[in-house]
Amino acid sequence: MSVEFATQLILQYRYWILIPLSFIEGPVVAFVAGTLAAVGYFNIYFLAALFFVRDVGLDGVYYAIGHFGGRTAFARKMLAKIGITMDHLEQVRLLPPGWTA
């Protein structure tokens, strides 16, 4: 795909192509969209709202996966394969907040 074709595609479909791309590679898409907003192709306020909602939403999804997914049989099986037992996890849970090695 040539740069000219990609540029034409982005400018033609703008937000419809920007939204799915932002979920695939957020920082690079945010940089490109911000650069294009500086020259008037995008609304900067829409971009700010889009990337804020995307970041908060994805962080919530990642938190939920870690919080609830860590208790599944699959996660325990994978942890056991690399030598982490439930005793290890319990020791980590008992560490005081802000503790560093």
Side-chain angles (χ1 to χ4, degrees):
M1 178 184 303
S2 69
V3 174
E4 294 83 17
F5 178 74
T7 304
Q8 182 183 9
L9 191 66
I10 289 172
L11 293 178
Q12 182 177 358
Y13 292 106
R14 294 184 192 188
Y15 298 105
W16 293 109
I17 202 165
L18 180 72
I19 293 170
L21 282 177
S22 71
F23 285 96
I24 296 170
E25 180 55 45
V28 172
V29 173
F31 175 77
V32 171
T35 303
L36 291 173
V39 293
Y41 289 112
F42 289 106
N43 180 342
I44 193 72
Y45 299 110
F46 177 80
L47 292 179
L50 169 71
F51 287 110
F52 177 78
V53 168
R54 184 196 69 87
D55 286 342
V56 170
L58 282 179
D59 286 348
V61 169
Y62 295 147
Y63 173 80
I65 289 171
H67 184 74
F68 298 110
R71 294 179 172 87
T72 62
F74 175 76
R76 290 181 187 191
K77 181 180 173 183
M78 292 296 114
L79 289 171
K81 281 188 175 188
I82 61 173
I84 298 175
T85 65
M86 294 312 290
D87 292 334
H88 292 120
L89 294 177
E90 192 58 37
Q91 290 174 359
V92 171
R93 287 186 184 108
L94 295 175
L95 292 174
W99 182 86
T100 59

